[in-house]
């Protein structure tokens, strides 16, 4: 059996529970995976709350990004064998906060030996999103990247990617995140009153890209700083970005392998700030749902 964390009704966290399910065989193109670590993302609670629709049959398994070891290989899969260490996004209909899950081979890459399972579990969604968000509009060295919500899972990695490319990185976060944000080389700006004016003092000519990880009024307030409206990209609130003349953050297929290499070289640290055992997956989700996570919060199924 595979102990799996699910929600059994759309809405609040009361519907979440740990259940035992049979270990499923991978279908064509899929890998069966023994999960070592699964990272938490805002999308976990957004799906459960019904914010993104109510399409999944219930109970629905939670957790979208994992790292683990291949236990079974589906038909038509080349390049993977039982025993391989991999990381990947969980296949639709399956969940990562579980002892076993299913990952489509096209959504997986080999886990580099030098990357821990904990760090690897943050790559398929958070790190790959940070990569896409810093490449969708190409900046040159010396250009300015403003990241709203820089202290969270995607933001801290986006700031480090920006520094690798020698962008001037400015990030907004709460005061509690000052030192971790500054450790990435970014200029820290606390959010709050007169944010646009304070940012303008630091970037008098405006910024070449706004990567928005917060949305709503936080984005509206600073949008005027973008040197052109199309230089606004949002992972958190595509509708507001589009209304302002920007766009949604688009995920690419290349980013997974590319950011995995960058992390293996030690150029970007996923900043895993808290680990919870599977029995306490609900606390891990709640910590992200509270909206003030620092770096990545993970569920560690097997400590390695
Ligand atoms: N489209 C995609 O593929 C995709 C993929 C990944 C994530 N996302 C979305 O991108 C967003 C960020 O994801 P994440 O994983 O980085 O979330 P996260 O780890 O929960 O971090 C969010 C961060 O925003 C900060 N924050 C809250 N209000 C803020 C404000 N007004 N100004 C500046 N910072 C503020 C929070 O802490 P403090 O308030 O303490 O600073 C927190 O550190 C979410 O909406 C998520 O759903 C989309």
């Amino acid at each position: 059996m595979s102990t799996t964390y699910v929600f059994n009704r759309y809405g609040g966290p009361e519907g979440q529970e740990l259940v035992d399910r049979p270990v499923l065989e991978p279908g064509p193109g899929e890998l069966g995976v023994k999960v070592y670590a699964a990272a938490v993302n805002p999308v976990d609670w957004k799906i459960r709350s019904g914010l993104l629709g109510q399409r999944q049959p219930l109970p629905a398994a939670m957790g979208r990004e994992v790292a683990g070891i291949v236990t079974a290989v589906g038909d038509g899969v080349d390049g993977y064998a039982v025993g391989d260490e991999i990381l990947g996004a969980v296949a639709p209909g399956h969940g990562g906060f579980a002892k076993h899950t299913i990952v489509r081979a096209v959504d997986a890459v080999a886990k580099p030996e030098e990357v821990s399972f904990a760090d690897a579990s943050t790559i398929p969604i958070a790190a790959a999103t940070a990569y896409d968000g810093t490449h969708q509009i190409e900046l040159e060295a010396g250009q300015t990247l403003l990241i709203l919500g820089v202290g969270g899972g995607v933001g801290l990695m986006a700031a480090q990617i920006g520094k690798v490319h020698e962008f001037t990185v400015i990030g907004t976060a709460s005061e509690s995140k000052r030192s971790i944000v500054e450790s990435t080389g970014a200029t820290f700006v606390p959010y709050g009153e007169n944010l646009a004016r304070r940012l303008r003092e630091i970037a008098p000519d405006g910024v070449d890209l706004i990567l928005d990880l917060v949305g709503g009024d936080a984005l509206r307030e600073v949008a005027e700083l973008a040197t052109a409206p199309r230089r606004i990209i949002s992972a958190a609130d595509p509708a507001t970005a589009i209304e302002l003349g920007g766009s949604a953050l688009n995920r690419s297929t290349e980013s997974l392998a590319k950011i995995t290499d960058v992390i293996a070289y030690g150029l970007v640290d996923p900043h895993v700030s808290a680990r919870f055992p599977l029995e306490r997956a609900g606390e891990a989700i709640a910590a992200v749902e509270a909206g003030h996570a620092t770096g990545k919060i993970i569920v560690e199924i097997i400590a390695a």
Side-chain angles (χ1 to χ4, degrees):
M1 297 298 272
S2 171
T3 311
T4 301
Y5 202 67
V6 304
F7 66 91
N8 51 40
R9 60 178 176 275
Y10 284 97
E14 322 76 53
Q16 296 173 182
E17 63 174 337
L18 212 49
V19 298
D20 278 328
R21 291 180 149 188
V23 177
L24 297 174
E25 286 301 316
E30 295 178 339
L31 301 167
V33 177
K34 181 176 182 181
V35 183
Y36 276 56
V40 183
N41 287 286
V43 76
D44 297 319
W45 69 260
K46 289 181 184 177
I47 293 171
R48 185 214 64 221
S49 69
L51 256 179
L52 306 178
Q54 300 196 359
R55 291 182 296 272
Q56 285 196 51
L58 301 176
M62 302 183 76
R64 310 278 11 118
E65 57 179 348
V66 297
I69 292 186
V70 174
T71 53
V73 177
D75 287 345
V77 173
D78 288 326
Y80 291 102
V82 170
D84 286 352
E85 297 183 351
I86 62 114
L87 58 98
V90 171
H94 299 274
F97 306 142
K99 290 191 173 165
H100 295 268
T101 195
I102 302 285
V103 172
R104 296 191 310 183
V106 291
D107 296 327
V109 295
K111 182 186 83 61
E113 212 173 308
E114 53 273 58
V115 179
S116 67
F117 282 103
D119 283 353
S121 71
T122 72
I123 296 177
I125 292 183
T129 300
Y131 185 95
D132 287 330
T134 47
H135 288 80
Q136 188 167 325
I137 289 184
E138 295 286 347
L139 297 188
E140 290 168 13
Q143 287 194 295
T144 304
L145 165 65
L146 169 62
I147 303 170
L148 306 180
V150 72
V154 176
L156 283 178
M157 287 196 265
Q160 294 171 78
I161 295 167
K163 279 292 157 187
V164 170
H165 291 292
E166 299 179 9
F167 306 154
T168 299
V169 183
I170 303 169
T172 66
S174 58
E175 188 60 45
S176 65
K177 296 185 168 67
R178 178 183 288 273
S179 62
I180 196 162
V181 171
E182 288 180 343
S183 77
T184 68
T187 300
F188 166 81
V189 180
Y191 59 83
E193 278 192 16
N194 300 318
L195 179 59
R197 182 178 57 70
R198 289 184 284 119
L199 286 168
R200 184 64 76 177
E201 282 166 12
I202 295 168
D205 298 330
V207 300
D208 300 294
L209 178 61
I210 297 177
L211 172 57
D212 168 48
L213 304 170
V214 181
D217 289 344
L219 174 57
R220 284 179 202 287
E221 196 186 347
V222 304
E224 51 155 307
L225 274 113
T227 52
R230 68 173 191 86
R231 291 177 172 273
I232 299 171
I233 291 175
S234 182
D237 186 355
T240 299
I242 290 165
E243 185 194 313
L244 293 165
S247 55
L249 187 154
N250 298 322
R251 295 296 317 282
S252 74
T253 48
E254 316 86 69
S255 55
L256 179 62
K258 288 191 170 158
I259 191 61
T260 300
D261 283 348
V262 172
I263 290 174
Y265 280 121
L267 296 171
V268 167
D269 174 357
H271 282 290
V272 172
S273 64
R275 301 166 189 236
F276 292 82
L278 183 55
E279 296 68 31
R280 294 172 58 201
E283 290 171 61
I285 296 163
V288 171
E289 189 165 359
H292 301 287
T294 299
K296 288 295 293 180
I297 291 170
I298 67 161
V299 176
E300 193 166 50
I301 289 94
I302 299 174

